[in-house]
Amino acid sequence: MDFDKNIFINCPFDDEYFPLLKPLLYTVKKIGFNPRISLERNDSGEIRLHKIKELIESSKYSIHDLSRAKAKKEGEYFRQNMPFELGLDLGCRDYNKGKEFKDKKILILEEEKYSTQKALSDLSFADCKCHKGDAEELVYEVRNWFAENGHKKVPSASSIWDGYNVFYADLYEEKSKQGFKVKDINRLPIPEFMGYIDEKIK
Amino acid sequence: MAKKSSRPKPPSSPKRTHVVKRDSGWAVKKEGTKRATKVYTTKEQAVKGAEKSRKSGSDVVIHKKDGSIQKWVKSKK
């Protein structure tokens, strides 16, 4: 796959985050990029860390959403996978000699402004974008990041957001006709969901 | 006698009106149009506002704030 078009997505994979992940995937594809995510394939025999490294090394761009790293209640561990994978990505960019890796572009998302800097002061240089846990806001931030990185003819955030709502209505209508219940539609596996986006936006 | 056209009919455009989250409010937007018909402060107001479209033959698709579907109300026609 094309390194220049690949974008590594590092985020939580739970039911709580799926309402943000799905519009994120749609936005990336709508702008013409190829999201690479560890859920894109499921092989129980594959070592997860190897998979993550392969995704990072094959992607010029990456989006790291650190918004759900924080523990929500007393006694709960905070989630370290996302900051760890961000570290791997920064290492890949900074320690590799190849020019393609030096050109890597990284977007860090957070839910509350400056929350990342509070927990990860090594990243106090970073200009993180804040989505406030809101899907529409996330679409705006991701779209604008592509534009800030020099991409031309990026559709407006409003048109992407409206397009996503229409896309979801199409998905709902077609799958309902096939006998899918609402919970089946909302919990489609990510590869199937991404395949459906491809069908609709080609 | 006029010859019947053999040209196939274009597919009918989807008659759907969406209630979608828009910035700090809720918009009523007919599918295929560029602009929202109106943006309301609350979702409840927007759902009421979409009722006109339903009477004129459009399904009303009420979205959740994440874009997924909360309710699909069939048209009255």
Side-chain angles (χ1 to χ4, degrees), chain A residues 81-122:
Chain A
N81 276 346
M82 279 84 70
F84 174 70
E85 290 170 24
L86 168 61
L88 286 176
D89 198 18
L90 288 166
C92 177
R93 186 186 70 180
D94 295 345
Y95 294 129
N96 267 306
K97 297 250 185 294
K99 187 186 177 306
E100 73 271 30
F101 294 117
K102 296 285 178 217
D103 289 341
K104 266 176 164 282
K105 300 277 184 258
I106 292 172
L107 168 63
I108 302 171
L109 292 170
E110 58 188 1
E111 188 164 341
E112 295 164 40
K113 198 82 186 148
Y114 309 122
S115 59
T116 301
Q117 292 175 19
K118 284 180 198 163
L120 250 176
S121 57
D122 286 355

Side-chain angles (χ1 to χ4, degrees), chain A residues 159 162-163 165-167 170, chain B residues 13-18 28-37 58:
Chain A
S159 73
D162 287 343
N165 279 270
V166 170
F167 157 78
D170 289 341
Chain B
S13 58
K15 281 199 161 189
R16 300 190 296 205
T17 295
H18 298 264
V28 173
K29 189 169 182 290
K30 284 183 186 162
E31 197 166 318
T33 59
K34 279 197 169 174
R35 288 178 165 273
T37 312
S58 181

Side-chain angles (χ1 to χ4, degrees), chain A residues 136 161-162 165 170 173, chain B residues 16 21-23 63 66:
Chain A
E136 186 190 8
W161 175 243
D162 287 343
N165 279 270
D170 289 341
E173 192 169 34
Chain B
R16 300 190 296 205
K21 189 183 161 295
R22 174 70 49 83
D23 300 326
H63 293 262
D66 66 5

